[in-house]
Amino acid sequence: MEALSDRLDPAGSFRRSVIIGDTLVARRVCATLIERSCAGNVTHLVAPTDAQLEDALVGAVDAVAILIRDDVAALRYALAVAHLDPGVPMIVTIFDQTIAGQIRSYLPQATVMSPASLAAPSIAGPCISPELTAAYRVDGRAIGVQELAGTPVASTIPAAPSGRSLIRRAGYLLPNLRTQHAGSHLLVLGLGGLVTVLLVDWVWLSASSGRGLWGSFADAARVVATVGPGAAGHGSAYAVFAGLAMLLTIGFTALFTAGMVDTLVKPPTAALVGRRSVPRRGHLIVVGIGQVGVRLAALLGELGIPVVGVERDPDAPYVALAQRLGVPVVIADGTDRRALERLGLARSRGVAAVASDELANIAVAVTAAAIDPTVAVTLRAGEQEALVETRSLLRLGATRDVTALACAFVVAHVWGLRPESATVTSAGTWVRLDDGSFTRLAPSRHDDCRHEIADPALPATAPANVAG
């Protein structure tokens, strides 16, 4: 495999680039470009005004990287750059697929990427098999990337079962109450009680009243509706039973109503039954339903792996998106041992801890190992300065640095290559080019950027704009 510098024109180190954004990816891209002897040709802007952006684009600019969190602001900057310099290639980080599609339509010179979508295949690989460093789906085929002598090699892998087997379909019809909230418990308890009273009364009357099957059903329904037995003459034992049944029915109806109201007022994030119910075995537990968690869950679903998401914040912005994608989400703390046990950790494929808080991801990994030392764990780590050396975390499971993957992809694009994806092996971070080859790239540490992203003397609403 070739190093990145071997793939570049000798004049490549003099390519002039403009970086826009205050994210970790932006700082790491800037630092990586500076380390490759092009500090004077890197302009790093945080939140430029139109005038500042125009000044930065004076002269020949080879590439612009818009690396900010807000999709609408990224769209605004992309349109401004295209207006000021229609021919300059640019790369823009966008999460929302609708906005991404619009940028591709309006600006064919723009490459749109999302760090979450870029990192999802590298996280999915070890979730499926410890031999895989990445996995994705292309043209209906499942592609796996394996490491051979430190270098990645892509090949077709067998697709996982589609999840449409008769046994799995039957499992969708059985409610999994262990993972449901209190309202669902009340609803099932109340409904179960009402159905039990109805069936017992129906069987009793069918066997003893002589009114036939459907006449007995009508009489049993009257008891459940608390309007009294349908007919007299069934003996004192039945009279006592009917009276007790009507009293129990009042309680069961109250439970059912309370559960129904709670479910309607705040619908559960995981269905009680059906394809969006929590799987019982062979599934992957994704802790942290943010941008990375949603993209990972969606990709695993495409690869045939059943998934359940775990999010501690019920109002997290991407929980609703996960629901629309058909991913069951349980509101719980992923570091809670009882929560992981209720989700069937011992019967699962493993755990992917992909929250933005790396210390929380480490806590999830430790908790999972305490429950089952053999469980496969993949965690997002390496983006915080204190944890940037991810090899120290290998005992906890496979680690993936989302920022490093995004940085490698962006730097390759800025240098004039045509990257399609990024992955990681024991030898470092790699980008896969449009010709199918892999090229290794070592991103800088994100705290090595020479630019101060914000001046403490400035208010938070007015970040500094800096250039190198």
PDB file of all heavy atoms in Angstrom, residues 126-151:
ATOM      1  N   PRO A 126     -16.543  -4.647  13.263  1.00  0.00           N
ATOM      2  CA  PRO A 126     -16.314  -5.494  14.439  1.00  0.00           C
ATOM      3  C   PRO A 126     -17.589  -5.877  15.180  1.00  0.00           C
ATOM      4  O   PRO A 126     -17.583  -6.831  15.954  1.00  0.00           O
ATOM      5  CB  PRO A 126     -15.401  -4.619  15.314  1.00  0.00           C
ATOM      6  CG  PRO A 126     -15.559  -3.235  14.813  1.00  0.00           C
ATOM      7  CD  PRO A 126     -15.875  -3.342  13.365  1.00  0.00           C
ATOM      8  N   CYS A 127     -18.684  -5.138  14.956  1.00  0.00           N
ATOM      9  CA  CYS A 127     -19.957  -5.545  15.560  1.00  0.00           C
ATOM     10  C   CYS A 127     -20.460  -6.853  14.938  1.00  0.00           C
ATOM     11  O   CYS A 127     -21.133  -7.649  15.594  1.00  0.00           O
ATOM     12  CB  CYS A 127     -21.008  -4.459  15.365  1.00  0.00           C
ATOM     13  SG  CYS A 127     -20.733  -2.961  16.332  1.00  0.00           S
ATOM     14  N   ILE A 128     -20.158  -7.052  13.662  1.00  0.00           N
ATOM     15  CA  ILE A 128     -20.601  -8.253  12.955  1.00  0.00           C
ATOM     16  C   ILE A 128     -19.651  -9.411  13.185  1.00  0.00           C
ATOM     17  O   ILE A 128     -20.067 -10.544  13.444  1.00  0.00           O
ATOM     18  CB  ILE A 128     -20.738  -7.954  11.451  1.00  0.00           C
ATOM     19  CG1 ILE A 128     -21.811  -6.896  11.222  1.00  0.00           C
ATOM     20  CG2 ILE A 128     -21.051  -9.222  10.667  1.00  0.00           C
ATOM     21  CD1 ILE A 128     -21.914  -6.423   9.800  1.00  0.00           C
ATOM     22  N   SER A 129     -18.344  -9.138  13.092  1.00  0.00           N
ATOM     23  CA  SER A 129     -17.339 -10.192  13.258  1.00  0.00           C
ATOM     24  C   SER A 129     -16.033  -9.554  13.707  1.00  0.00           C
ATOM     25  O   SER A 129     -15.657  -8.493  13.200  1.00  0.00           O
ATOM     26  CB  SER A 129     -17.133 -10.948  11.943  1.00  0.00           C
ATOM     27  OG  SER A 129     -16.015 -11.819  12.036  1.00  0.00           O
ATOM     28  N   PRO A 130     -15.301 -10.187  14.619  1.00  0.00           N
ATOM     29  CA  PRO A 130     -14.022  -9.612  15.052  1.00  0.00           C
ATOM     30  C   PRO A 130     -12.976  -9.585  13.949  1.00  0.00           C
ATOM     31  O   PRO A 130     -11.983  -8.873  14.062  1.00  0.00           O
ATOM     32  CB  PRO A 130     -13.594 -10.539  16.200  1.00  0.00           C
ATOM     33  CG  PRO A 130     -14.382 -11.794  16.007  1.00  0.00           C
ATOM     34  CD  PRO A 130     -15.662 -11.391  15.370  1.00  0.00           C
ATOM     35  N   GLU A 131     -13.200 -10.339  12.866  1.00  0.00           N
ATOM     36  CA  GLU A 131     -12.248 -10.336  11.753  1.00  0.00           C
ATOM     37  C   GLU A 131     -12.437  -9.149  10.820  1.00  0.00           C
ATOM     38  O   GLU A 131     -11.596  -8.889   9.954  1.00  0.00           O
ATOM     39  CB  GLU A 131     -12.372 -11.623  10.926  1.00  0.00           C
ATOM     40  CG  GLU A 131     -11.821 -12.862  11.609  1.00  0.00           C
ATOM     41  CD  GLU A 131     -12.793 -13.427  12.625  1.00  0.00           C
ATOM     42  OE1 GLU A 131     -14.010 -13.211  12.435  1.00  0.00           O
ATOM     43  OE2 GLU A 131     -12.334 -14.073  13.598  1.00  0.00           O
ATOM     44  N   LEU A 132     -13.551  -8.420  10.966  1.00  0.00           N
ATOM     45  CA  LEU A 132     -13.846  -7.323  10.049  1.00  0.00           C
ATOM     46  C   LEU A 132     -13.474  -5.985  10.668  1.00  0.00           C
ATOM     47  O   LEU A 132     -13.787  -5.715  11.826  1.00  0.00           O
ATOM     48  CB  LEU A 132     -15.332  -7.318   9.680  1.00  0.00           C
ATOM     49  CG  LEU A 132     -15.876  -8.540   8.927  1.00  0.00           C
ATOM     50  CD1 LEU A 132     -17.371  -8.386   8.663  1.00  0.00           C
ATOM     51  CD2 LEU A 132     -15.126  -8.752   7.623  1.00  0.00           C
ATOM     52  N   THR A 133     -12.809  -5.153   9.880  1.00  0.00           N
ATOM     53  CA  THR A 133     -12.537  -3.785  10.333  1.00  0.00           C
ATOM     54  C   THR A 133     -13.610  -2.816   9.865  1.00  0.00           C
ATOM     55  O   THR A 133     -13.711  -1.710  10.389  1.00  0.00           O
ATOM     56  CB  THR A 133     -11.172  -3.302   9.820  1.00  0.00           C
ATOM     57  OG1 THR A 133     -11.195  -3.247   8.384  1.00  0.00           O
ATOM     58  CG2 THR A 133     -10.065  -4.245  10.262  1.00  0.00           C
ATOM     59  N   ALA A 134     -14.405  -3.219   8.870  1.00  0.00           N
ATOM     60  CA  ALA A 134     -15.504  -2.385   8.379  1.00  0.00           C
ATOM     61  C   ALA A 134     -16.474  -3.278   7.615  1.00  0.00           C
ATOM     62  O   ALA A 134     -16.121  -4.373   7.163  1.00  0.00           O
ATOM     63  CB  ALA A 134     -14.994  -1.261   7.480  1.00  0.00           C
ATOM     64  N   ALA A 135     -17.702  -2.803   7.489  1.00  0.00           N
ATOM     65  CA  ALA A 135     -18.722  -3.519   6.716  1.00  0.00           C
ATOM     66  C   ALA A 135     -19.722  -2.502   6.197  1.00  0.00           C
ATOM     67  O   ALA A 135     -20.100  -1.571   6.905  1.00  0.00           O
ATOM     68  CB  ALA A 135     -19.431  -4.559   7.589  1.00  0.00           C
ATOM     69  N   TYR A 136     -20.133  -2.676   4.955  1.00  0.00           N
ATOM     70  CA  TYR A 136     -21.120  -1.786   4.361  1.00  0.00           C
ATOM     71  C   TYR A 136     -21.848  -2.537   3.257  1.00  0.00           C
ATOM     72  O   TYR A 136     -21.536  -3.700   2.957  1.00  0.00           O
ATOM     73  CB  TYR A 136     -20.470  -0.500   3.826  1.00  0.00           C
ATOM     74  CG  TYR A 136     -19.237  -0.710   2.975  1.00  0.00           C
ATOM     75  CD1 TYR A 136     -19.326  -0.833   1.589  1.00  0.00           C
ATOM     76  CD2 TYR A 136     -17.972  -0.777   3.564  1.00  0.00           C
ATOM     77  CE1 TYR A 136     -18.197  -1.023   0.815  1.00  0.00           C
ATOM     78  CE2 TYR A 136     -16.838  -0.967   2.794  1.00  0.00           C
ATOM     79  CZ  TYR A 136     -16.948  -1.094   1.423  1.00  0.00           C
ATOM     80  OH  TYR A 136     -15.834  -1.287   0.656  1.00  0.00           O
ATOM     81  N   ARG A 137     -22.818  -1.884   2.659  1.00  0.00           N
ATOM     82  CA  ARG A 137     -23.644  -2.510   1.633  1.00  0.00           C
ATOM     83  C   ARG A 137     -23.578  -1.673   0.363  1.00  0.00           C
ATOM     84  O   ARG A 137     -23.794  -0.461   0.396  1.00  0.00           O
ATOM     85  CB  ARG A 137     -25.089  -2.640   2.120  1.00  0.00           C
ATOM     86  CG  ARG A 137     -25.947  -3.601   1.303  1.00  0.00           C
ATOM     87  CD  ARG A 137     -27.293  -3.815   1.994  1.00  0.00           C
ATOM     88  NE  ARG A 137     -28.119  -4.766   1.292  1.00  0.00           N
ATOM     89  CZ  ARG A 137     -28.060  -6.083   1.468  1.00  0.00           C
ATOM     90  NH1 ARG A 137     -27.205  -6.574   2.340  1.00  0.00           N
ATOM     91  NH2 ARG A 137     -28.851  -6.886   0.796  1.00  0.00           N
ATOM     92  N   VAL A 138     -23.273  -2.321  -0.746  1.00  0.00           N
ATOM     93  CA  VAL A 138     -23.160  -1.649  -2.038  1.00  0.00           C
ATOM     94  C   VAL A 138     -23.878  -2.495  -3.087  1.00  0.00           C
ATOM     95  O   VAL A 138     -23.573  -3.685  -3.237  1.00  0.00           O
ATOM     96  CB  VAL A 138     -21.688  -1.444  -2.439  1.00  0.00           C
ATOM     97  CG1 VAL A 138     -21.609  -0.813  -3.824  1.00  0.00           C
ATOM     98  CG2 VAL A 138     -20.966  -0.577  -1.421  1.00  0.00           C
ATOM     99  N   ASP A 139     -24.835  -1.877  -3.787  1.00  0.00           N
ATOM    100  CA  ASP A 139     -25.557  -2.556  -4.865  1.00  0.00           C
ATOM    101  C   ASP A 139     -26.149  -3.898  -4.409  1.00  0.00           C
ATOM    102  O   ASP A 139     -26.082  -4.902  -5.118  1.00  0.00           O
ATOM    103  CB  ASP A 139     -24.637  -2.786  -6.068  1.00  0.00           C
ATOM    104  CG  ASP A 139     -24.116  -1.486  -6.652  1.00  0.00           C
ATOM    105  OD1 ASP A 139     -24.848  -0.482  -6.580  1.00  0.00           O
ATOM    106  OD2 ASP A 139     -22.983  -1.465  -7.167  1.00  0.00           O
ATOM    107  N   GLY A 140     -26.697  -3.908  -3.206  1.00  0.00           N
ATOM    108  CA  GLY A 140     -27.334  -5.121  -2.695  1.00  0.00           C
ATOM    109  C   GLY A 140     -26.369  -6.153  -2.151  1.00  0.00           C
ATOM    110  O   GLY A 140     -26.808  -7.227  -1.714  1.00  0.00           O
ATOM    111  N   ARG A 141     -25.066  -5.874  -2.164  1.00  0.00           N
ATOM    112  CA  ARG A 141     -24.081  -6.827  -1.663  1.00  0.00           C
ATOM    113  C   ARG A 141     -23.496  -6.337  -0.347  1.00  0.00           C
ATOM    114  O   ARG A 141     -23.248  -5.150  -0.164  1.00  0.00           O
ATOM    115  CB  ARG A 141     -22.949  -7.025  -2.677  1.00  0.00           C
ATOM    116  CG  ARG A 141     -23.382  -7.651  -4.000  1.00  0.00           C
ATOM    117  CD  ARG A 141     -22.181  -7.830  -4.930  1.00  0.00           C
ATOM    118  NE  ARG A 141     -21.537  -6.563  -5.226  1.00  0.00           N
ATOM    119  CZ  ARG A 141     -20.238  -6.324  -5.046  1.00  0.00           C
ATOM    120  NH1 ARG A 141     -19.455  -7.255  -4.542  1.00  0.00           N
ATOM    121  NH2 ARG A 141     -19.728  -5.145  -5.377  1.00  0.00           N
ATOM    122  N   ALA A 142     -23.267  -7.278   0.568  1.00  0.00           N
ATOM    123  CA  ALA A 142     -22.608  -6.957   1.831  1.00  0.00           C
ATOM    124  C   ALA A 142     -21.104  -7.044   1.616  1.00  0.00           C
ATOM    125  O   ALA A 142     -20.580  -8.083   1.196  1.00  0.00           O
ATOM    126  CB  ALA A 142     -23.051  -7.908   2.925  1.00  0.00           C
ATOM    127  N   ILE A 143     -20.401  -5.947   1.876  1.00  0.00           N
ATOM    128  CA  ILE A 143     -18.959  -5.870   1.685  1.00  0.00           C
ATOM    129  C   ILE A 143     -18.291  -5.793   3.050  1.00  0.00           C
ATOM    130  O   ILE A 143     -18.665  -4.978   3.898  1.00  0.00           O
ATOM    131  CB  ILE A 143     -18.559  -4.644   0.843  1.00  0.00           C
ATOM    132  CG1 ILE A 143     -19.310  -4.646  -0.494  1.00  0.00           C
ATOM    133  CG2 ILE A 143     -17.058  -4.609   0.631  1.00  0.00           C
ATOM    134  CD1 ILE A 143     -18.984  -5.817  -1.383  1.00  0.00           C
ATOM    135  N   GLY A 144     -17.296  -6.631   3.259  1.00  0.00           N
ATOM    136  CA  GLY A 144     -16.525  -6.605   4.487  1.00  0.00           C
ATOM    137  C   GLY A 144     -15.089  -6.249   4.209  1.00  0.00           C
ATOM    138  O   GLY A 144     -14.532  -6.600   3.164  1.00  0.00           O
ATOM    139  N   VAL A 145     -14.459  -5.524   5.108  1.00  0.00           N
ATOM    140  CA  VAL A 145     -13.055  -5.142   4.991  1.00  0.00           C
ATOM    141  C   VAL A 145     -12.289  -5.868   6.085  1.00  0.00           C
ATOM    142  O   VAL A 145     -12.600  -5.742   7.266  1.00  0.00           O
ATOM    143  CB  VAL A 145     -12.867  -3.616   5.122  1.00  0.00           C
ATOM    144  CG1 VAL A 145     -11.393  -3.246   5.014  1.00  0.00           C
ATOM    145  CG2 VAL A 145     -13.675  -2.882   4.050  1.00  0.00           C
ATOM    146  N   GLN A 146     -11.312  -6.661   5.679  1.00  0.00           N
ATOM    147  CA  GLN A 146     -10.476  -7.400   6.615  1.00  0.00           C
ATOM    148  C   GLN A 146      -9.061  -6.847   6.605  1.00  0.00           C
ATOM    149  O   GLN A 146      -8.624  -6.243   5.626  1.00  0.00           O
ATOM    150  CB  GLN A 146     -10.458  -8.888   6.256  1.00  0.00           C
ATOM    151  CG  GLN A 146     -11.806  -9.583   6.420  1.00  0.00           C
ATOM    152  CD  GLN A 146     -11.732 -11.044   6.036  1.00  0.00           C
ATOM    153  OE1 GLN A 146     -11.449 -11.378   4.886  1.00  0.00           O
ATOM    154  NE2 GLN A 146     -11.980 -11.917   6.998  1.00  0.00           N
ATOM    155  N   GLU A 147      -8.356  -7.113   7.681  1.00  0.00           N
ATOM    156  CA  GLU A 147      -6.973  -6.660   7.791  1.00  0.00           C
ATOM    157  C   GLU A 147      -6.030  -7.811   7.474  1.00  0.00           C
ATOM    158  O   GLU A 147      -6.096  -8.868   8.104  1.00  0.00           O
ATOM    159  CB  GLU A 147      -6.706  -6.132   9.204  1.00  0.00           C
ATOM    160  CG  GLU A 147      -5.264  -5.695   9.422  1.00  0.00           C
ATOM    161  CD  GLU A 147      -5.019  -5.160  10.817  1.00  0.00           C
ATOM    162  OE1 GLU A 147      -6.003  -4.882  11.529  1.00  0.00           O
ATOM    163  OE2 GLU A 147      -3.842  -5.025  11.177  1.00  0.00           O
ATOM    164  N   LEU A 148      -5.174  -7.607   6.497  1.00  0.00           N
ATOM    165  CA  LEU A 148      -4.151  -8.584   6.136  1.00  0.00           C
ATOM    166  C   LEU A 148      -2.797  -7.907   6.198  1.00  0.00           C
ATOM    167  O   LEU A 148      -2.514  -6.972   5.437  1.00  0.00           O
ATOM    168  CB  LEU A 148      -4.397  -9.138   4.726  1.00  0.00           C
ATOM    169  CG  LEU A 148      -5.693  -9.938   4.522  1.00  0.00           C
ATOM    170  CD1 LEU A 148      -5.823 -10.376   3.077  1.00  0.00           C
ATOM    171  CD2 LEU A 148      -5.735 -11.142   5.454  1.00  0.00           C
ATOM    172  N   ALA A 149      -1.952  -8.356   7.135  1.00  0.00           N
ATOM    173  CA  ALA A 149      -0.621  -7.770   7.330  1.00  0.00           C
ATOM    174  C   ALA A 149      -0.697  -6.258   7.548  1.00  0.00           C
ATOM    175  O   ALA A 149       0.128  -5.496   7.046  1.00  0.00           O
ATOM    176  CB  ALA A 149       0.283  -8.101   6.142  1.00  0.00           C
ATOM    177  N   GLY A 150      -1.717  -5.819   8.260  1.00  0.00           N
ATOM    178  CA  GLY A 150      -1.850  -4.413   8.591  1.00  0.00           C
ATOM    179  C   GLY A 150      -2.548  -3.576   7.557  1.00  0.00           C
ATOM    180  O   GLY A 150      -2.798  -2.392   7.797  1.00  0.00           O
ATOM    181  N   THR A 151      -2.873  -4.152   6.398  1.00  0.00           N
ATOM    182  CA  THR A 151      -3.523  -3.395   5.330  1.00  0.00           C
ATOM    183  C   THR A 151      -4.954  -3.890   5.140  1.00  0.00           C
ATOM    184  O   THR A 151      -5.240  -5.080   5.298  1.00  0.00           O
ATOM    185  CB  THR A 151      -2.752  -3.537   4.011  1.00  0.00           C
ATOM    186  OG1 THR A 151      -2.735  -4.914   3.620  1.00  0.00           O
ATOM    187  CG2 THR A 151      -1.343  -3.026   4.163  1.00  0.00           C
TER     188      THR A 151
END
